[in-house]
Amino acid sequence: MRKLKLIATLTMLAISVFQLNAQMKGNFEAFNAEKDELGITGQYFGKSDKKGYGYRFVKEADGKIVNELHYFEKKKSTEPQLKLSMKESYYSKNKVKLFYVWVNANAAGYVELIEIEPGVLAQVGQSSESANGGPATLDAQRKVSDIYIKDQSKFDAWDLETAQAKVDMIIQSLNTEKIAKETEEWKKFDVYAKNINKVVFAAQWYHLQKQGYPHKIGVNGADFKTELDMGGNMMFMAFFEVPPKLKYPGHQINIENEMNGQKVNRETLRKKSAAWSNMVKILETKDFEYRQSPTRSIREFNQYNSQFMQDYAAIQLLYDNKAKFKVGQTYDVTVRFYSHRDGENGDLLAEGTVKLKYTDKAKLAFEGDPAKPESKGIWAQFEAFLNE
């Protein structure tokens, strides 16, 4: 008798598990028989939970064009749990199918669904609220949090990283028209038109860019230099045809320096050790949001700290060539900006060359002042860092 009860219990358990699995696999098959002009309607399965969900595109309701995507997670519900609005201009101009909804009032409650391939939807969140409660702007940071797929056999082909790359490409394509118009406006300024995709140099940061106006041309270029004293400030800035934030979302920026055929770059050095990682910070395209980069330096005097600050990657290049420096001589240094992702350089974004002059002032700064042996020169300071 006990054996029969055990068999009955196991049978009921098996039935329960089967029913649970059936529910997990979804019960929205009927949606697949429906047709709509966008080809979206159907049963989808979430990558994160493998559950089935229903999506239905609704073009018209109550005699009005609504262009909504209705989302169902309750199989017996006749009303959708969410109604997402379509960004109509994206579709009419670029055939991009993007739908959005505010689940709650804060930025974390804003959700988009973007078709990244027929039958594949990416669920996307964004980091900043839209001012009017509408869709996020094109330059908002978007992050894929889940994927919904009609054909479960495609799960292996789509992971979050792959979906993120596809979303980045789609948003970049939407930005093309806007970017082109803004670029034409910038080209009306000679200092930009003559230096697109170039690195320019100056002895002071404010000769490169007006403080507080990185989104506008604030200088005329008269103080750009082709030669700099190594004993003073060595500043530079890049001009981009397209803001890296828009063209390369989710990427890094890598800066390479070259002298006498020798090259160093930030990313290679950053990964050498903890000490290097501490001194050379990651540069992300999200912080390069304009057509001119933030001003940077090989070495500069910082007024607030009352001391010189330096780019350790650039100093490494100079250190590698220190035996060649002679007072009165000049040395060409080329600076390049690259997009960077997954440990590899991508596109060359800007490039420029400046002559660095090794003056008496530079000799004192780098080799130290014999009259002040207690004050170390740049070479001695850098060697101490290398020996950490």
Side-chain angles (χ1 to χ4, degrees), residues 149-199:
I149 302 177
K150 281 184 179 180
D151 182 354
Q152 294 183 81
S153 67
K154 292 185 177 181
F155 273 130
D156 291 339
W158 287 101
D159 55 24
L160 294 184
E161 185 178 356
T162 305
Q164 184 69 61
K166 188 60 181 289
V167 166
D168 292 344
M169 289 175 61
I170 289 171
I171 298 303
Q172 180 183 325
S173 72
L174 292 172
N175 271 305
T176 302
E177 184 177 349
K178 175 187 174 185
I179 291 170
K181 289 181 180 178
E182 291 180 351
T183 300
E184 287 308 309
E185 288 299 311
W186 275 68
K187 285 182 177 178
K188 293 178 181 178
F189 298 93
D190 284 346
V191 68
Y192 175 72
K194 293 177 180 178
N195 292 290
I196 295 175
N197 301 329
K198 294 181 181 179
V199 176

Side-chain angles (χ1 to χ4, degrees), residues 46 53 77 158 238 307 361:
Y53 299 92
S77 175
W158 287 101
Q307 65 180 9
K361 182 180 177 182

Side-chain angles (χ1 to χ4, degrees), residues 217-277:
I217 295 294
V219 299
N220 60 15
D223 293 307
F224 292 176
K225 302 294 185 182
T226 57
E227 181 178 301
L228 293 171
D229 185 341
M230 286 179 64
N233 291 341
M234 296 175 279
M235 310 294 301
F236 63 91
M237 182 185 77
F239 283 107
F240 307 115
E241 186 167 10
V242 178
K245 178 181 178 179
L246 297 181
K247 190 170 184 180
Y248 304 94
H251 289 217
Q252 295 170 218
I253 295 288
N254 192 14
I255 299 177
E256 176 186 87
N257 300 284
E258 180 178 358
M259 179 180 179
N260 291 327
Q262 291 179 283
K263 298 178 182 179
V264 299
N265 71 80
R266 292 176 59 87
E267 279 302 301
T268 298
L269 291 174
R270 187 180 66 79
K271 296 173 182 176
K272 283 185 65 174
S273 66
W276 271 107
S277 238

Side-chain angles (χ1 to χ4, degrees), residues 65-76:
I65 300 297
V66 293
N67 286 331
E68 294 176 339
L69 185 61
H70 291 186
Y71 161 80
F72 295 82
E73 62 181 27
K74 298 178 181 179
K75 64 178 182 177
K76 293 183 179 180

